[in-house]
């Protein structure tokens, strides 16, 4: 009945409604979930790369139940214990003087508010973001997004300027190595600023590590270089850590890997693993001070919802107790990275593997010399068939994969075990025989 009601009444995201045949999920535990037929899947997608603590962590479930028994909701204008504690814990983990948190319901709203703060703080209007990016689906966030989901949503009046970020494997700058890519990407940003007028730019927005659009780990020196450019021109730097934060990259915040302090960090997903809707902006003291005597013109009925904040507090404490961030870092370095390199040596269709922590991409190609993608950019219909077949082969063997264009992303929970990772990669190993059949090199 649930399936029939879904098809009759639920309107799904990013979908032509008549083409859908969604799985009905009955339950989950740890790194696994199962459907209504009892078929079990190893969750290598982490749902939407947000289930960092895994399914149904008993301590997190208990914390939500306990808070529900105390106080389910209260308006954001009041002081609430779980909200106050969540803000304190998050700012303690954030770098530098990012001392304040504005809570939202998710990542897109966090980005919307970060843009508003930067514009009001600087008195400038334009925002810069990269072509390979995803920042959310609300009006400003989708305008900032660089992937094709932006196209049908564009109004042409957003005040967003796009530029190319670093991606050494498919360099926009004809670079031959990571160091060159870093230098040329920074020069390209400088050149774009020159012709846009740096005095017109309120903010430069980057995913610290690009997520859905390729798991692009910036070369060493790049984020530091962007920070220096922002300092020089009085531009605010936003690091969007909705996907990259809270353990995903083996750090509490991915920027910590490069010792960079942005002016704003947006978060959501991993802060409480999506057990309840929650996101937010971590705000530097100088931006917060702008609104000391000046009204901040933004708010949400559910800003800092007590139930959501209680889940964030519990999740952060569980991460500390169980050393989950350390596990993510270690698993990436000692298991995922080496195992994916073995796959690359075996499968000619793998052009590159890249990542860190529990945030990895396998980029599939038809030819390693030309680097022609296995499927075209934004492939749909028959063009997408090779990737659809690979995903179907994974699901048949009990692995739920994350695919985007010509890539498979390996994004298990942050507390995944080494054995679970090896189990999942063994299934991917079999499925990649399909990709190898298309190889023309």
């Amino acid at each position: 009945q649930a399936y029939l009601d879904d098809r009759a009444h639920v309107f799904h995201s990013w979908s032509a409604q008549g083409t859908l045949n969604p799985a009905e999920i009955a339950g989950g535990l740890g790194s696994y979930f199962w459907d209504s037929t009892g078929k079990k899947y190893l969750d290598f997608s982490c749902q939407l790369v947000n289930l960092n603590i895994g399914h149904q962590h008993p301590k997190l479930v208990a914390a939500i139940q306990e808070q529900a028994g105390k106080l389910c909701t209260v308006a954001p204008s009041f002081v609430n214990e779980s909200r106050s504690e969540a803000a304190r814990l998050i700012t303690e983990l954030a770098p530098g003087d990012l001392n304040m948190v504005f809570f939202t319901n998710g990542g897109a709203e966090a980005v919307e508010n970060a843009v508003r703060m930067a514009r009001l703080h600087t008195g400038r209007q334009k925002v810069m973001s990269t072509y390979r990016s995803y920042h959310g689906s609300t009006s400003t966030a989708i305008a900032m997004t660089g992937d094709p989901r932006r196209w049908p949503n564009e109004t042409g009046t957003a005040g967003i300027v796009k530029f190319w970020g670093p991606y050494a494997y498919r360099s926009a700058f004809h670079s031959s190595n990571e160091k060159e890519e870093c230098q040329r990407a920074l020069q390209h940003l400088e050149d774009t600023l020159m012709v846009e007028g740096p005095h017109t730019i309120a903010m430069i927005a980057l995913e610290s590590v690009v997520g859905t659009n390729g798991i692009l780990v910036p070369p060493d020196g790049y984020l530091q270089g962007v920070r220096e450019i922002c300092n020089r021109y009085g531009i605010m730097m936003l690091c969007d850590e909705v996907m990259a934060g809270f353990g995903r990259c083996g750090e509490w915040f991915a920027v910590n890997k490069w010792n960079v302090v942005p002016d704003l960090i947006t978060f959501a997903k991993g802060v409480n693993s999506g057990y309840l809707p929650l996101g937010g902006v971590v705000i530097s003291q100088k931006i917060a001070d702008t609104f000391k005597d000046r009204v901040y013109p933004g708010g949400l009925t559910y800003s800092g919802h007590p139930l959501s904040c209680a889940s964030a507090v519990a999740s952060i404490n569980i991460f500390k107790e169980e050393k989950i961030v350390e596990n993510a870092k270690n698993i990436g370095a000692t298991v995922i990275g080496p195992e994916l390199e073995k796959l690359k040596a075996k499968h000619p269709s793998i052009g590159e593997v890249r990542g860190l922590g529990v945030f990895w991409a396998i980029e599939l190609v038809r030819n390693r010399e030309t680097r022609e993608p296995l499927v075209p950019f934004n492939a749909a219909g028959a063009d997408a068939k090779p990737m659809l077949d690979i995903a179907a082969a994974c699901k048949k063997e009990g692995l739920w994969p994350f695919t985007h264009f010509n890539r498979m992303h390996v994004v298990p929970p942050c507390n995944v075990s080494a054995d679970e990772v090896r189990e999942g990669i063994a299934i991917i190993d079999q499925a990649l025989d399909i990709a190898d059949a298309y190889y023309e090199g």
Side-chain angles (χ1 to χ4, degrees):
Q1 187 58 44
Y3 182 85
L4 296 174
D5 286 346
D6 177 283
R7 300 313 304 121
H9 305 295
V10 177
F11 195 90
H12 285 261
S13 319
W14 308 118
S15 303
Q17 306 303 307
T19 64
L20 295 176
N21 181 25
E24 184 182 334
I25 304 308
L29 191 63
S31 299
Y32 298 87
F33 65 93
W34 49 90
D35 65 20
S36 54
T37 71
K39 184 170 173 63
K40 193 175 173 187
Y41 298 95
L42 177 56
D43 195 349
F44 257 39
S45 69
C46 251
Q47 298 304 295
L48 283 173
V49 198
N50 64 332
L51 200 71
N52 292 9
I53 208 166
H55 292 270
Q56 297 299 110
H57 193 292
K59 286 184 184 170
L60 191 43
V61 172
I64 293 167
Q65 290 169 333
E66 186 186 336
Q67 180 63 36
K70 280 199 285 195
L71 181 70
C72 280
T73 191
V74 66
S77 52
F78 296 105
V79 172
N80 174 259
E81 185 185 6
S82 66
R83 183 190 300 141
S84 301
E85 192 175 358
R88 177 179 62 79
L89 288 171
I90 290 164
T91 55
E92 282 174 0
L93 296 169
D97 71 338
L98 277 77
N99 298 329
M100 303 283 281
V101 180
F102 177 79
F103 285 109
T104 64
N105 300 306
E109 285 178 351
V111 170
E112 294 278 338
N113 281 281
V115 171
R116 187 178 295 169
M117 289 170 189
R119 283 174 167 163
L120 291 168
H121 174 74
T122 60
R124 305 170 183 177
Q125 279 305 306
K126 284 192 281 193
V127 170
M128 296 182 69
S129 61
T130 67
Y131 276 109
R132 292 187 184 91
S133 64
Y134 184 76
H135 293 289
S137 70
T138 49
S139 59
T140 303
I142 197 72
M144 289 164 65
T145 288
D147 81 25
R149 285 176 285 182
R150 182 181 83 251
W151 303 344
N153 285 296
E154 279 182 310
T155 63
T157 58
I160 311 292
V161 176
K162 291 287 186 304
F163 65 101
W164 291 102
Y167 180 8
Y169 186 70
R170 297 194 183 280
S171 174
F173 317 112
H174 310 286
S175 305
S176 55
N177 57 58
E178 291 274 331
K179 190 177 177 189
E180 214 169 64
E181 182 73 358
C182 181
Q183 292 166 344
R184 293 180 182 186
L186 288 169
Q187 185 60 52
H188 161 71
L189 177 54
E190 289 267 26
D191 292 345
T192 309
L193 277 167
M194 176 180 71
V195 292
E196 284 293 337
H199 63 287
T200 70
I201 308 296
M203 184 169 86
I204 295 173
L206 297 164
E207 290 173 274
S208 306
V209 175
V210 173
T212 305
N213 285 277
I215 307 189
L216 307 177
V217 182
D220 289 343
Y222 181 73
L223 292 179
Q224 294 96 320
V226 175
R227 175 72 274 181
E228 195 276 319
I229 289 168
C230 287
N231 289 348
R232 201 177 334 136
Y233 297 119
I235 296 168
M236 298 301 101
M237 182 179 181
L238 165 65
C239 285
D240 183 337
E241 298 237 351
V242 169
M243 200 176 273
F246 289 96
R248 179 59 49 190
C249 293
E251 307 279 350
W252 282 105
F253 288 103
V255 287
N256 295 349
K257 177 173 165 53
W258 294 280
N259 297 313
V260 168
V261 183
D263 301 291
L264 298 156
I265 292 176
T266 47
F267 67 89
K269 293 189 188 278
V271 68
N272 65 346
S273 293
Y275 278 44
L276 287 157
L278 185 66
V281 190
V282 199
I283 310 161
S284 66
Q285 196 60 53
K286 68 183 175 192
I287 294 179
D289 287 347
T290 299
F291 304 102
K292 206 164 189 175
D293 301 308
R294 174 185 183 180
V295 172
Y296 176 65
L300 300 151
T301 299
Y302 304 116
S303 177
H305 191 283
L307 215 49
S308 298
C309 285
S311 69
V313 169
S315 181
I316 290 167
N317 287 330
I318 294 163
F319 264 57
K320 288 176 178 176
E321 287 164 22
E322 299 184 5
K323 298 196 173 349
I324 290 175
V325 176
E326 294 85 343
N327 182 70
K329 188 173 200 165
N330 182 53
I331 284 276
T334 64
V335 186
I336 303 177
E339 290 296 327
L340 293 186
E341 286 295 340
K342 285 184 203 165
L343 284 195
K344 186 181 172 187
K346 180 178 176 183
H347 293 280
S349 58
I350 297 179
E352 182 176 57
V353 298
R354 56 180 175 264
L356 69 173
V358 281
F359 207 30
W360 291 79
I362 302 169
E363 177 145 355
L364 299 173
V365 296
R366 289 173 183 255
N367 184 310
R368 281 189 178 178
E369 292 300 311
T370 65
R371 302 185 180 182
E372 181 193 344
L374 176 64
V375 301
F377 180 78
N378 201 33
D383 284 346
K385 187 177 186 303
M387 291 304 295
L388 295 173
D389 289 349
I390 291 166
C394 289
K395 290 172 187 175
K396 184 167 179 271
E397 296 302 318
L399 178 90
W400 200 271
F402 185 110
T403 60
H404 191 258
F405 301 164
N406 68 315
R407 300 177 308 274
M408 289 191 76
H409 292 183
V410 176
V411 285
C414 296
N415 53 353
V416 70
S417 72
D419 286 346
E420 288 166 344
V421 167
R422 290 192 180 97
E423 177 192 340
I425 289 175
I427 294 170
I428 292 171
D429 185 7
Q430 290 176 36
L432 288 181
D433 290 342
I434 295 167
D436 291 344
Y438 289 91
Y439 191 75
E440 297 161 357

mmCIF file of all heavy atoms in Angstrom, residues 147-164:
data_model
loop_
_atom_site.group_PDB
_atom_site.id
_atom_site.type_symbol
_atom_site.label_atom_id
_atom_site.label_comp_id
_atom_site.label_asym_id
_atom_site.label_seq_id
_atom_site.Cartn_x
_atom_site.Cartn_y
_atom_site.Cartn_z
ATOM 1 N N ASP A 147 26.274 22.772 -11.805
ATOM 2 C CA ASP A 147 25.905 21.613 -12.628
ATOM 3 C C ASP A 147 24.601 21.892 -13.388
ATOM 4 O O ASP A 147 23.932 22.899 -13.149
ATOM 5 C CB ASP A 147 25.911 20.320 -11.796
ATOM 6 C CG ASP A 147 24.668 20.065 -10.950
ATOM 7 O OD1 ASP A 147 23.587 20.565 -11.283
ATOM 8 O OD2 ASP A 147 24.786 19.320 -9.964
ATOM 9 N N PRO A 148 24.229 21.026 -14.335
ATOM 10 C CA PRO A 148 23.113 21.331 -15.240
ATOM 11 C C PRO A 148 21.741 21.463 -14.582
ATOM 12 O O PRO A 148 20.799 21.912 -15.238
ATOM 13 C CB PRO A 148 23.125 20.145 -16.215
ATOM 14 C CG PRO A 148 24.520 19.652 -16.197
ATOM 15 C CD PRO A 148 24.980 19.838 -14.790
ATOM 16 N N ARG A 149 21.626 21.099 -13.320
ATOM 17 C CA ARG A 149 20.343 21.323 -12.645
ATOM 18 C C ARG A 149 20.021 22.815 -12.533
ATOM 19 O O ARG A 149 18.888 23.198 -12.282
ATOM 20 C CB ARG A 149 20.357 20.651 -11.262
ATOM 21 C CG ARG A 149 20.211 19.146 -11.354
ATOM 22 C CD ARG A 149 20.331 18.477 -10.001
ATOM 23 N NE ARG A 149 21.704 18.420 -9.526
ATOM 24 C CZ ARG A 149 22.065 17.850 -8.377
ATOM 25 N NH1 ARG A 149 21.139 17.318 -7.595
ATOM 26 N NH2 ARG A 149 23.328 17.808 -8.015
ATOM 27 N N ARG A 150 21.041 23.642 -12.724
ATOM 28 C CA ARG A 150 20.810 25.087 -12.720
ATOM 29 C C ARG A 150 20.005 25.546 -13.939
ATOM 30 O O ARG A 150 19.186 26.451 -13.852
ATOM 31 C CB ARG A 150 22.161 25.831 -12.707
ATOM 32 C CG ARG A 150 22.024 27.332 -12.660
ATOM 33 C CD ARG A 150 23.385 28.035 -12.684
ATOM 34 N NE ARG A 150 23.906 28.172 -14.038
ATOM 35 C CZ ARG A 150 24.934 27.501 -14.534
ATOM 36 N NH1 ARG A 150 25.571 26.614 -13.790
ATOM 37 N NH2 ARG A 150 25.347 27.685 -15.758
ATOM 38 N N TRP A 151 20.256 24.921 -15.095
ATOM 39 C CA TRP A 151 19.759 25.445 -16.367
ATOM 40 C C TRP A 151 18.259 25.736 -16.392
ATOM 41 O O TRP A 151 17.859 26.845 -16.762
ATOM 42 C CB TRP A 151 20.135 24.514 -17.525
ATOM 43 C CG TRP A 151 21.612 24.254 -17.658
ATOM 44 C CD1 TRP A 151 22.630 24.969 -17.079
ATOM 45 C CD2 TRP A 151 22.239 23.203 -18.380
ATOM 46 N NE1 TRP A 151 23.851 24.425 -17.411
ATOM 47 C CE2 TRP A 151 23.644 23.347 -18.210
ATOM 48 C CE3 TRP A 151 21.767 22.161 -19.175
ATOM 49 C CZ2 TRP A 151 24.559 22.474 -18.798
ATOM 50 C CZ3 TRP A 151 22.676 21.294 -19.763
ATOM 51 C CH2 TRP A 151 24.050 21.443 -19.581
ATOM 52 N N PRO A 152 17.394 24.773 -16.012
ATOM 53 C CA PRO A 152 15.946 25.073 -16.091
ATOM 54 C C PRO A 152 15.461 26.012 -14.982
ATOM 55 O O PRO A 152 14.298 26.423 -14.989
ATOM 56 C CB PRO A 152 15.291 23.692 -15.956
ATOM 57 C CG PRO A 152 16.281 22.868 -15.220
ATOM 58 C CD PRO A 152 17.638 23.383 -15.605
ATOM 59 N N ASN A 153 16.332 26.349 -14.044
ATOM 60 C CA ASN A 153 15.952 27.198 -12.907
ATOM 61 C C ASN A 153 16.435 28.635 -13.050
ATOM 62 O O ASN A 153 16.190 29.453 -12.168
ATOM 63 C CB ASN A 153 16.526 26.613 -11.610
ATOM 64 C CG ASN A 153 15.772 25.386 -11.147
ATOM 65 O OD1 ASN A 153 14.601 25.457 -10.822
ATOM 66 N ND2 ASN A 153 16.436 24.241 -11.143
ATOM 67 N N GLU A 154 17.148 28.940 -14.146
ATOM 68 C CA GLU A 154 17.805 30.245 -14.229
ATOM 69 C C GLU A 154 16.822 31.367 -14.559
ATOM 70 O O GLU A 154 15.913 31.213 -15.366
ATOM 71 C CB GLU A 154 18.914 30.212 -15.286
ATOM 72 C CG GLU A 154 20.168 29.591 -14.744
ATOM 73 C CD GLU A 154 21.308 29.562 -15.726
ATOM 74 O OE1 GLU A 154 21.106 29.113 -16.866
ATOM 75 O OE2 GLU A 154 22.408 29.983 -15.345
ATOM 76 N N THR A 155 17.057 32.518 -13.911
ATOM 77 C CA THR A 155 16.285 33.726 -14.227
ATOM 78 C C THR A 155 17.140 34.746 -14.958
ATOM 79 O O THR A 155 16.615 35.666 -15.570
ATOM 80 C CB THR A 155 15.761 34.393 -12.934
ATOM 81 O OG1 THR A 155 16.891 34.816 -12.158
ATOM 82 C CG2 THR A 155 14.924 33.433 -12.114
ATOM 83 N N GLY A 156 18.464 34.596 -14.857
ATOM 84 C CA GLY A 156 19.363 35.543 -15.512
ATOM 85 C C GLY A 156 19.581 36.825 -14.731
ATOM 86 O O GLY A 156 20.220 37.752 -15.206
ATOM 87 N N THR A 157 19.060 36.901 -13.506
ATOM 88 C CA THR A 157 19.190 38.141 -12.719
ATOM 89 C C THR A 157 19.778 37.896 -11.333
ATOM 90 O O THR A 157 19.523 38.631 -10.402
ATOM 91 C CB THR A 157 17.812 38.822 -12.542
ATOM 92 O OG1 THR A 157 16.936 37.881 -11.900
ATOM 93 C CG2 THR A 157 17.220 39.251 -13.862
ATOM 94 N N ALA A 158 20.576 36.845 -11.195
ATOM 95 C CA ALA A 158 20.988 36.425 -9.851
ATOM 96 C C ALA A 158 22.206 37.159 -9.307
ATOM 97 O O ALA A 158 22.473 37.112 -8.122
ATOM 98 C CB ALA A 158 21.255 34.926 -9.850
ATOM 99 N N GLY A 159 22.988 37.822 -10.157
ATOM 100 C CA GLY A 159 24.221 38.458 -9.681
ATOM 101 C C GLY A 159 25.301 37.460 -9.334
ATOM 102 O O GLY A 159 26.121 37.694 -8.448
ATOM 103 N N ILE A 160 25.292 36.299 -10.028
ATOM 104 C CA ILE A 160 26.289 35.251 -9.779
ATOM 105 C C ILE A 160 27.249 35.190 -10.970
ATOM 106 O O ILE A 160 26.815 35.166 -12.122
ATOM 107 C CB ILE A 160 25.623 33.861 -9.601
ATOM 108 C CG1 ILE A 160 24.460 33.909 -8.618
ATOM 109 C CG2 ILE A 160 26.669 32.826 -9.200
ATOM 110 C CD1 ILE A 160 24.814 34.165 -7.192
ATOM 111 N N VAL A 161 28.540 35.144 -10.686
ATOM 112 C CA VAL A 161 29.576 35.045 -11.712
ATOM 113 C C VAL A 161 30.273 33.698 -11.551
ATOM 114 O O VAL A 161 30.711 33.352 -10.451
ATOM 115 C CB VAL A 161 30.604 36.192 -11.556
ATOM 116 C CG1 VAL A 161 31.745 36.024 -12.557
ATOM 117 C CG2 VAL A 161 29.933 37.549 -11.701
ATOM 118 N N LYS A 162 30.376 32.949 -12.648
ATOM 119 C CA LYS A 162 31.004 31.626 -12.588
ATOM 120 C C LYS A 162 32.479 31.684 -12.988
ATOM 121 O O LYS A 162 32.878 32.491 -13.818
ATOM 122 C CB LYS A 162 30.283 30.659 -13.530
ATOM 123 C CG LYS A 162 28.863 30.294 -13.093
ATOM 124 C CD LYS A 162 28.863 29.375 -11.904
ATOM 125 C CE LYS A 162 27.479 28.884 -11.553
ATOM 126 N NZ LYS A 162 26.521 29.932 -11.307
ATOM 127 N N PHE A 163 33.254 30.790 -12.399
ATOM 128 C CA PHE A 163 34.647 30.620 -12.798
ATOM 129 C C PHE A 163 35.005 29.139 -12.683
ATOM 130 O O PHE A 163 34.246 28.350 -12.119
ATOM 131 C CB PHE A 163 35.597 31.499 -11.957
ATOM 132 C CG PHE A 163 35.659 31.140 -10.489
ATOM 133 C CD1 PHE A 163 36.724 30.403 -9.991
ATOM 134 C CD2 PHE A 163 34.669 31.554 -9.600
ATOM 135 C CE1 PHE A 163 36.797 30.078 -8.642
ATOM 136 C CE2 PHE A 163 34.735 31.236 -8.251
ATOM 137 C CZ PHE A 163 35.801 30.498 -7.770
ATOM 138 N N TRP A 164 36.149 28.760 -13.251
ATOM 139 C CA TRP A 164 36.591 27.366 -13.209
ATOM 140 C C TRP A 164 37.448 27.129 -11.971
ATOM 141 O O TRP A 164 38.398 27.854 -11.729
ATOM 142 C CB TRP A 164 37.419 27.022 -14.449
ATOM 143 C CG TRP A 164 36.625 26.982 -15.719
ATOM 144 C CD1 TRP A 164 36.580 27.937 -16.681
ATOM 145 C CD2 TRP A 164 35.769 25.924 -16.157
ATOM 146 N NE1 TRP A 164 35.740 27.544 -17.693
ATOM 147 C CE2 TRP A 164 35.228 26.308 -17.400
ATOM 148 C CE3 TRP A 164 35.399 24.688 -15.613
ATOM 149 C CZ2 TRP A 164 34.352 25.507 -18.120
ATOM 150 C CZ3 TRP A 164 34.528 23.893 -16.330
ATOM 151 C CH2 TRP A 164 34.003 24.298 -17.566
#
